[in-house]
Amino acid sequence: MPEHAQIEARTRAQAGTATPAPRRRPKNRKAQIATVAAEAFSERGYHGVSIDEIASAVGISGPALYRHFPNKYALFRHAVATLAEALEGAVGELDAGDESDPADVLDRQVTALIRTTIDNRRTGGLYRWERRYLTSDDRGEIRSRMVAINGRLAHTVSRLRPDLTHTDCVLLSTAMLSVVGSITTHRAPLSTRRLQQLLLDACRAIVAVPLAPDVPEPGAASTPQGLTVANKREVLLHEAVLLFDARGYHEVSIEEIGATAGINASGVYRHFPSKAELLAAAFRRAADRVAVAVGSALTESSTPAEALETLSEFYVRLSFEHSALMSVYFAEIGNLPAHHRSDLRNIQRLNIEDWARLIGELRSDLSPVECRFLVHAALNVVLDTGTVMRFRSTASNRRRVQQLMLAILLGGGRSAEPRG
């Protein structure tokens, strides 16, 4: 040992201090970075998170993070792809021959998806809302994985329900995936064991739904056609919602919104002081419409079952006729200014509570928290199955989605009281 090192060692020994161990980079550093980033992206969105924030949360510098990922997009893509791969792997491990009991196979497939989603609950929002920020090639790759998962479920459903068409089987498998994925849209606590059973029972109820006949309606449009709106504020709000839904809040500028509405940027600011205020106005509009639907259902009904039937019908119609507005309502709340976000989250919670209270009166086997989980699942299914149907607002499409909602909320073997 060199003399200076010997002197330093003796000095440390006399002072009672040990020689510090050399710092070593954790072997799982890349996985740590990926986990922290995925949670941040899921909670605050792709544009709401910086590389420096992620690095700080991990306890490293920005340059150190770049040794593992060349840029933020690479980190984002890794996070989304990891989730899709985990879900595909969970189902892929359960391939069984057609001689197996389809009910048992479906239970195992759904349970595997539920467990994987619970494990990734804090990052699950990435696939649902943030995937639009991927490049077209990457988005196509992720979509292919999800289509493969859906196809495996649909095949099992077809064996269990040979009376259904392939399209119907895909609809039911989409609804089941939506139920499982709904737990990523909120943070309500529930024991893992109870949550697994609650979601599995809801998926079983979906598979048993006697779907209404799919009756095509020639000329039915995905959005209702009407007279031209002359109010410039309303035109701006309408065009902003369409753009936010198609490309995401951060990818749209005030200038684009104004150009689409036929108004220059300075004209936009006469109606809305900022893009954030435009988004807040869209949320207020959606919240008001949901509140009206809830209030109408309650005042027009004499029993909880009748109110639930009415409310689900109103909600499905609202979602189909204003699909872009409702999608923005659920997808973009994290981009609202803080002073708006708190108020609007409270409004959303109150709407959920109204639904949950009705469920609780009809299902004494469920706790209030469990009722709220089912409400989130049912609302999620409306947007996901509506997307599969391209929100084509035919009576049969709306009735089918309503049937799925009621199956989730009421469970197998139950039904809301028929009206009229």
Side-chain angles (χ1 to χ4, degrees):
M1 179 182 294
E3 184 179 355
H4 69 84
Q6 293 176 358
I7 294 173
E8 183 178 348
R10 284 198 300 271
T11 302
R12 288 183 177 278
Q14 291 169 0
T17 59
T19 301
R23 294 182 63 184
R24 295 181 179 178
R25 189 182 305 164
K27 293 181 179 179
N28 64 339
R29 177 67 82 195
K30 184 172 183 178
Q32 287 180 338
I33 295 170
T35 298
V36 169
E39 292 180 0
F41 288 140
S42 185
E43 290 173 4
R44 304 202 304 279
Y46 175 64
H47 290 280
V49 179
S50 70
I51 282 288
D52 287 340
E53 287 177 287
I54 296 169
S56 176
V58 177
I60 60 176
S61 65
L65 187 150
Y66 286 123
R67 286 199 290 269
H68 299 280
F69 296 95
N71 51 48
K72 187 172 85 166
Y73 179 81
L75 187 49
F76 176 65
R77 183 197 177 283
H78 180 273
V80 181
T82 297
L83 177 61
E85 289 167 7
L87 292 171
E88 187 178 23
V91 177
E93 294 175 356
L94 298 172
D95 278 341
D98 285 355
E99 70 279 0
S100 303
D101 177 15
D104 178 62
V105 173
L106 190 64
D107 273 2
R108 287 189 284 117
Q109 287 176 326
V110 172
T111 299
L113 289 170
I114 291 171
R115 288 173 177 167
T116 302
T117 304
I118 290 174
D119 290 342
N120 295 275
R121 186 177 180 188
R122 294 188 64 182
T123 62
L126 280 173
Y127 175 75
R128 183 169 177 79
W129 302 121
E130 297 300 311
R131 70 179 185 273
R132 58 189 159 186
Y133 296 122
L134 293 169
T135 64
S136 58
D137 287 345
D138 288 341
R139 192 163 56 247
E141 180 183 339
I142 300 301
R143 185 177 183 277
S144 294
R145 291 186 181 278
M146 299 308 295
V147 168
I149 295 169
N150 201 331
R152 292 179 189 274
L153 286 181
H155 175 70
T156 308
V157 171
S158 70
R159 293 180 54 218
L160 195 60
R161 294 283 306 274
D163 57 303
L164 299 180
T165 66
H166 173 71
T167 300
D168 290 344
C169 292
V170 170
L171 178 64
L172 296 187
S173 60
T174 298
M176 287 189 287
L177 286 170
S178 182
V179 164
V180 175
S182 69
I183 65 171
T184 67
T185 66
H186 61 97
R187 295 290 177 262
L190 191 61
S191 73
T192 298
R193 181 189 63 80
R194 185 59 193 133
L195 180 54
Q196 286 182 4
Q197 191 61 54
L198 188 72
L199 297 177
L200 180 58
D201 287 344
C203 289
R204 287 170 173 168
I206 285 172
V207 175
V209 168
L211 287 172
D214 184 9
V215 181
E217 293 180 19
S222 57
T223 55
Q225 302 298 312
L227 300 176
T228 301
V229 176
N231 185 307
K232 291 184 178 180
R233 189 178 191 279
E234 286 299 311
V235 172
L236 283 168
L237 186 56
H238 174 73
E239 296 300 337
V241 165
L242 294 179
L243 289 170
F244 292 156
D245 178 48
R247 291 165 45 203
Y249 173 77
H250 286 282
E251 295 294 309
V252 178
S253 68
I254 280 285
E255 289 76 16
E256 286 179 281
I257 295 170
T260 306
I263 302 171
N264 60 33
S266 61
V268 176
Y269 289 118
R270 284 198 291 272
H271 298 279
F272 297 97
S274 67
K275 187 174 73 166
E277 290 299 323
L278 248 173
L279 180 62
F283 263 78
R284 294 283 180 189
R285 177 65 51 82
D288 287 345
R289 285 179 169 165
V290 172
V292 167
V294 172
S296 298
L298 294 176
T299 57
E300 293 178 14
S301 307
S302 56
T303 68
E306 186 180 350
L308 190 63
E309 177 82 18
T310 302
L311 179 53
S312 58
E313 182 181 354
F314 281 179
Y315 187 85
V316 171
R317 181 179 289 275
L318 172 65
S319 298
F320 269 66
E321 295 183 352
H322 302 280
S323 59
L325 178 63
M326 297 305 291
S327 293
V328 169
Y329 181 57
F330 286 104
E332 300 288 358
I333 193 165
N335 290 315
L336 285 169
H339 61 286
H340 287 302
R341 191 185 314 134
S342 179
D343 289 344
L344 287 162
R345 281 197 187 279
N346 286 334
I347 292 172
Q348 286 184 339
R349 289 191 190 100
L350 290 173
N351 286 329
I352 295 292
E353 289 299 323
D354 282 328
W355 284 82
R357 180 172 53 80
L358 292 174
I359 303 306
E361 292 183 24
L362 292 166
R363 297 190 61 179
S364 59
D365 58 310
L366 299 178
S367 68
V369 172
E370 291 167 343
C371 291
R372 288 194 288 273
F373 267 88
L374 292 183
V375 173
H376 281 290
L379 299 184
N380 215 45
V381 162
V382 176
L383 285 179
D384 287 341
T385 56
T387 299
V388 170
M389 295 174 171
R390 301 183 183 275
F391 290 102
R392 189 173 177 80
S393 192
T394 64
S396 60
N397 277 351
R398 294 194 305 270
R399 179 56 188 166
R400 286 165 149 240
V401 175
Q402 184 188 12
Q403 286 179 301
L404 295 171
M405 287 190 80
L406 293 174
I408 295 163
L409 298 173
L410 296 172
R414 303 168 187 258
S415 62
E417 295 172 4
R419 294 179 302 132

